[in-house]
Amino acid sequence: MRARHDAKTEGAHGAAPFDLYETPGFLVRRLHQIVVSACYEGWGGLDISPVQYGALMAVRAFPGIDQRGLARAIAIDRSSIGTVSGQLERRGLIARRTGRRDKRNKELFLTVRGAAVLRRAQPLAWEIQDRILAPLPARERAEFVRLLAKLVERNNALSRAPLQPTGFEAD
């Protein structure tokens, strides 16, 4: 990415400056791209995506969670959660069983293989996060994460897939 001063150059027709690189939305999207790339590189042969990692973490935290609860737990739209859970099931990382509470629902459980993948992925995830935050001094890292959390929390309702309680917390 170019230096910040280049972002102020005039557009192609000499009109408004090209200030895309200064907009929070672009910067957040770009950082997301960087984090996803770092995850794929850092996880190497584990062959999981950040969304799949989040799903595995949630299934481990809430054994027996259904897909609707999982979608709420990791803030993913309901149309995508079936794909994610299907991929994890096909790879033997989670198991779907008929629900005890509602026979129409499938409850999700981490398999032995899924737990092994998480044991390998979790410390690597922290290394990846440290690598992403490395350009910031420790004090700024904590502040950056605090501000990100604040923005996510305060803007949660704007999402098509807001983060919500799973409904499985008390179980």
Side-chain angles (χ1 to χ4, degrees):
M1 191 157 113
R2 290 197 195 276
R4 202 174 161 107
H5 99 314
D6 287 346
K8 292 266 187 203
T9 60
E10 289 186 3
H13 303 289
F18 185 72
D19 59 0
L20 176 67
Y21 302 150
E22 295 178 3
T23 62
F26 174 82
L27 292 170
V28 168
R29 183 187 66 80
R30 186 70 186 118
L31 184 58
H32 176 260
Q33 288 175 316
I34 292 165
V35 169
V36 169
S37 293
C39 286
Y40 280 116
E41 180 185 317
W43 284 329
L46 294 178
D47 193 30
I48 59 170
S49 71
V51 171
Q52 291 171 337
Y53 174 74
L56 290 171
M57 293 287 289
V59 170
R60 182 178 69 186
F62 305 108
I65 193 170
D66 63 20
Q67 286 188 172
R68 186 174 297 151
L70 181 57
R72 290 191 300 261
I74 64 171
I76 187 172
D77 60 275
R78 288 188 353 182
S79 61
S80 298
I81 199 64
T83 302
V84 171
S85 59
Q87 291 166 340
L88 294 172
E89 183 182 34
R90 278 190 297 284
R91 292 190 51 214
L93 303 179
I94 65 169
R96 289 195 251 195
R97 300 183 195 139
T98 301
R100 289 174 290 152
R101 292 180 255 197
D102 183 343
K103 301 291 183 202
R104 296 170 294 176
N105 286 338
K106 296 291 185 187
E107 294 177 347
L108 308 175
F109 297 90
L110 199 61
T111 63
V112 171
R113 185 173 178 188
V117 166
L118 267 183
R119 276 194 304 279
R120 290 179 53 210
Q122 200 163 10
L124 296 171
W126 285 110
E127 288 176 20
I128 293 162
Q129 300 307 308
D130 287 343
R131 194 168 124 216
I132 295 297
L133 295 174
L136 301 175
R139 177 184 48 78
E140 287 182 357
R141 291 177 194 187
E143 181 67 1
F144 177 70
V145 173
R146 186 188 71 74
L147 291 171
L148 276 178
K150 183 177 184 177
L151 287 171
V152 167
E153 180 184 326
R154 301 268 173 92
N155 290 296
N156 188 48
L158 299 177
S159 174
R160 287 192 217 182
L163 189 62
Q164 299 173 353
T166 67
F168 289 80
E169 288 82 1
D171 287 358

